[in-house]
Amino acid sequence: MELTSWLALAAICVMGAISPGPSLALIIRNTVQGGQGHGVATALGHGCGVGIYALITALGLSVLITQTPLLFDLIRYGGAAFLAWLGIKALLAKPASESVEEVVHQLRGRQGAFEGFMVAFLNPQLAIFFIALFSQFVRADTGWNEGGIMMLTAGGIDAIWYVLVALVLSRGPVLAWLKAKSSVIDKVSGLVLLGLALKVVL
């Protein structure tokens, strides 16, 4: 891939990453609930999910998703169910005490990575987005090398952006203020996630 083509690809991936949506809501909530490590793990998991989708698309497999209604619907409704589950979980969440927070830190890291990955991987809009994007860069002879470049570009940019979001939110007075408002954030995040799940279904 030529440098000019890669720069164009990277620029579009940056714009896609910084667009607000369920991913941002999840990163904010997990950072507030579990601290910096939990937020970073969620960001890295999300980046992995985006990267895998990018690789699938670059190799032409995502066409199968969009052209096979049953498979597409399974992914779409699976994503909606997962978003709804996260929304209900956020609405019912209770503030964690400081003594409990250290004990569950490692578990939260794994849980955050899983949630971040699933929110990305079960989002069928990613397939459509990458088909539209990669159609400008993928050729008939595109193989694993260029596919890997696209995967690392999309997934890496996504992970870096959300890691930065988690790091900014977990510093000093910002995190203290967010923790003080964690109950409100949970409720708002829950409503947003449930609304997005409903939007996917409809």
Side-chain angles (χ1 to χ4, degrees):
M1 180 179 291
E2 297 179 356
L3 179 60
T4 54
S5 296
W6 181 83
L7 289 174
L9 173 67
I12 298 173
C13 287
V14 168
M15 296 303 296
I18 65 177
S19 299
S23 303
L24 181 61
L26 181 64
I27 298 296
I28 292 174
R29 178 184 175 275
N30 282 2
T31 302
V32 173
Q33 282 283 315
Q36 178 178 301
H38 193 33
V40 169
T42 307
L44 293 176
H46 192 274
C48 287
V50 169
I52 290 175
Y53 243 134
L55 179 61
I56 290 173
T57 307
L59 297 178
L61 297 180
S62 64
V63 175
L64 177 66
I65 297 176
T66 56
Q67 292 186 352
T68 307
L70 178 58
L71 181 57
F72 184 79
D73 283 343
L74 285 174
I75 294 176
R76 181 162 63 98
Y77 289 121
F82 190 73
L83 289 175
W85 176 74
L86 289 177
I88 294 172
K89 182 179 173 185
L91 289 173
L92 299 178
K94 297 179 180 179
S97 64
E98 294 295 330
S99 60
V100 175
E101 192 167 317
E102 183 176 353
V103 176
V104 300
H105 178 71
Q106 186 175 6
L107 176 61
R108 278 181 166 172
R110 296 196 196 102
Q111 178 183 338
F114 172 75
E115 290 178 350
F117 178 86
M118 294 299 285
V119 163
F121 195 71
L122 290 178
N123 183 1
Q125 292 181 350
L126 272 181
I128 298 172
F129 172 75
F130 283 137
I131 286 175
L133 172 59
F134 289 168
S135 64
Q136 307 299 317
F137 304 98
V138 173
R139 302 187 305 271
D141 59 347
T142 296
W144 287 95
N145 289 338
E146 287 194 341
I149 292 173
M150 294 180 185
M151 175 187 71
L152 293 175
T153 300
I157 287 174
D158 183 270
I160 289 171
W161 165 249
Y162 284 121
V163 165
L164 289 175
V165 170
L167 291 177
V168 168
L169 292 179
S170 61
R171 295 291 178 179
V174 176
L175 182 61
W177 182 85
L178 288 173
K179 282 189 173 181
K181 303 295 183 181
S182 62
S183 179
V184 175
I185 292 174
D186 277 335
K187 299 300 184 291
V188 172
S189 297
L191 291 174
V192 169
L193 290 167
L194 285 173
L196 290 167
L198 183 60
K199 180 181 178 182
V200 170
V201 173
L202 298 178

